[in-house]
Amino acid sequence: MRIVVLTGAGISAESGLTTFRDAGGLWEGHDPMQVATPEAYADDPGLVQRFYDARRAALARVEPNAAHHALARLEDALGDDLLLVTQNVDDLHERAGSRRVHHIHGRLQAAWCTGCDERHEWHGTLADEPPCPGCGASDLRPDIVWFGEVPYGMDVVEDALERCDLFVSIGTSGVVYPAAAFVHWAAGETLELNLEPSAGASDFDASRQGPATRLVPAWVDELLG
Ligand code: OAD
Ligand code: ZN
């Protein structure tokens, strides 16, 4: 059975990372959504770097939860028949033991040098304009896909969706494209596990509502018997 799983901020919520649209607050007086754009970065790079520096630092204070662990178990059982696609830029899937995580929106723990176009693992800060380990230029930005930029590895995702028997969407509001369209591209059955139905919920065969830490382990247990 070939499965594509898409995760969003909701799977990390119970680990203590706030989701985007549930946050309900401002960050240094800014809407977090408005910081995640190339325009914001061009206008005020320091502000955008501080936002991502804070989110990168927050990873040290959180742990993967039962939902991340359940998906790692699923990968152990299915191997290459599972494609785990995440919109999340955190590292909680990896820390739970998932080895092949497809980060379509990039990762907090990577920096991209716009000078030499190389990417580097990054665990420190960027607001202080550190030099690129490759070329020495102070041109490092978060390796995050912002609004208006092209998500990573979409060819692999499209291919897997066209061949899948089951597509499962977990903890995403379904308002950001192209991920919101995956349910339409999926050849197989579709299932949503979410606290509340996503924007595309009517396109899912079944929507199970509740917290990810309860729904995801239950679904994986059911599937693996
Ligand atoms: P959102 O913040 O838009 O949506 C979070 C979803 O998680 C909502 O549908 C909630 O109902 C659900 N949720 C909250 N707590 C949950 C829990 N404990 N268990 C299960 N579900 C829960 O986050 P995303 O859909 O991931 O992109 O956002 C998509 C993209 O928008 C992000 O990747 C980010 C953002 O802009 C970029 O930064 C490029
Ligand atoms: Zn460089």
Side-chain angles (χ1 to χ4, degrees), residues 35-46:
V35 180
T37 69
E39 292 76 19
Y41 184 63
D43 282 355
D44 192 345

Side-chain angles (χ1 to χ4, degrees), residues 93-210:
H93 284 304
E94 285 87 349
R95 281 161 59 194
S98 289
R99 288 180 298 273
R100 286 162 294 209
V101 188
H102 207 77
H103 283 272
I104 59 171
H105 288 168
R107 294 190 301 122
L108 282 169
Q109 291 175 327
W112 171 26
C113 176
T114 54
C116 69
D117 198 29
E118 298 246 321
R119 289 172 165 83
H120 300 276
E121 279 297 309
W122 205 265
H123 297 275
T125 53
L126 291 173
D128 49 333
E129 300 181 27
C132 165
C135 72
S138 290
D139 291 333
L140 294 168
R141 59 163 267 189
D143 191 14
I144 302 279
V145 176
W146 288 325
F147 284 99
E149 297 183 328
V150 182
Y152 294 143
M154 287 305 298
D155 47 344
V156 174
V157 180
E158 283 183 45
D159 187 59
L161 285 168
E162 280 165 16
R163 293 183 299 112
C164 76
D165 301 301
L166 177 64
F167 168 66
V168 184
S169 171
I170 303 170
T172 174
S173 56
V175 299
V176 175
Y177 283 82
F182 290 0
V183 63
H184 304 297
W185 301 348
E189 305 271 304
T190 64
L191 174 67
E192 172 171 30
L193 310 176
N194 205 5
L195 199 57
E196 56 194 26
S198 66
S202 60
D203 299 310
F204 286 95
D205 276 354
S207 176
R208 302 189 204 190
Q209 292 176 40

